[in-house]
Amino acid sequence: MTALSADKRRVTRNVQAKATAQILLADSQTVYEGALIMINASGLAVVGADTASMTFGGVAAAAVTSGSSNTTKYVDIEYGHEEWFEKAGAVTVADLGANLVIADDATITDAGAGTNDVLVGQGVQLETINGTAGVWLRVRQFA
């Protein structure tokens, strides 16, 4: 799959359980709405990728860009609800109840398929939307 290059309005449901947080954004980050956001070892938000020593924070609620140094930009993240995601690799019944991990800021994959297995949430339903197979994911905050 491909990382985001524009905002992505995601399909959501079970939003009564949605929680939000604001996290200080690391320098030189361009976050698009709908991007998966990770937290680095310094506690700063970074654009999601299959990267070591990171934890998943949530899904970006709006686009924001930080400067090259000493920025004070925050990203609003959402978690606790369900969102539909495209998945790297085959969408199969094994995804139901499975822990799924980050592939890039737009895509999830199977645990074990990524190098660093940064947990994003649990697969709860398979569905094809607009001709694309994907997984409804219970978005969890692991930070």
Side-chain angles (χ1 to χ4, degrees):
M1 304 322 264
T2 304
L4 294 177
S5 59
D7 291 342
K8 182 173 184 96
R9 179 119 344 170
R10 295 198 180 275
V11 180
T12 62
R13 67 182 190 188
N14 295 330
V15 295
Q16 68 278 9
K18 184 188 298 184
T20 61
Q22 278 192 333
I23 301 177
L24 185 62
L25 196 56
D27 293 339
S28 303
Q29 298 291 305
T30 299
V31 174
Y32 295 103
E33 177 184 345
L36 296 170
I37 301 298
M38 297 173 39
I39 311 300
N40 67 20
S42 298
L44 302 173
V46 296
V47 174
D50 183 13
T51 306
S53 302
M54 301 275 187
T55 54
F56 176 70
V59 179
V64 63
T65 301
S66 61
S68 60
S69 65
N70 299 319
T71 63
T72 56
K73 297 277 187 170
Y74 287 82
V75 61
D76 294 321
I77 61 168
E78 300 171 334
Y79 56 93
H81 59 296
E82 294 175 3
E83 292 201 26
W84 183 88
F85 286 91
E86 292 181 41
K87 182 174 169 262
V91 174
T92 69
V93 71
D95 295 326
L96 297 175
N99 288 326
L100 298 170
V101 301
I102 195 165
D104 57 39
D105 71 337
T107 315
I108 58 174
T109 192
D110 298 311
T115 302
N116 297 291
D117 283 349
V118 179
L119 292 174
V120 176
Q122 184 179 46
V124 294
Q125 182 182 339
L126 311 179
E127 185 174 354
T128 298
I129 295 178
N130 296 326
T132 302
V135 178
W136 280 98
L137 185 77
R138 185 171 298 121
V139 179
R140 300 289 188 214
Q141 185 183 44
F142 290 92

